[in-house]
Amino acid sequence: MVNQQNGKSKKNVAEGIKDTAGSAFETAHNALETTEDIAMNTVDAAKNAAQKMTGNMKNNQGKQR
């Protein structure tokens, strides 16, 4: 009986470790996705700003002629 309880206890500990590791991996994965989203939004914003600036410069050159 004691051996059965020890076996179950070890299994429960192993399952707990597995669950904790899974949760930690999921948290890290979500953090990476969030970081990627922020980085891509930053790139898009920089691209849009550069396009606006380039467009404004072209418009200003046309008006100066």
Side-chain angles (χ1 to χ4, degrees):
M1 180 94 174
V2 171
N3 280 343
Q4 283 181 330
Q5 286 178 330
N6 283 343
K8 287 181 182 179
S9 178
K10 287 178 184 177
K11 184 178 179 181
N12 287 341
V13 169
E15 288 295 320
I17 291 169
K18 181 180 170 184
D19 290 344
T20 300
S23 293
F25 178 79
E26 186 68 25
T27 299
H29 179 77
N30 290 340
L32 286 173
E33 282 187 343
T34 299
T35 301
E36 180 186 12
D37 289 344
I38 291 168
M40 297 313 298
N41 287 339
T42 301
V43 169
D44 288 340
K47 180 190 79 167
N48 291 339
Q51 286 176 337
K52 275 187 175 181
M53 183 186 289
T54 303
N56 287 341
M57 287 172 50
K58 285 181 183 177
N59 288 339
N60 287 339
Q61 285 176 350
K63 290 178 184 177
Q64 290 176 357
R65 291 185 180 178

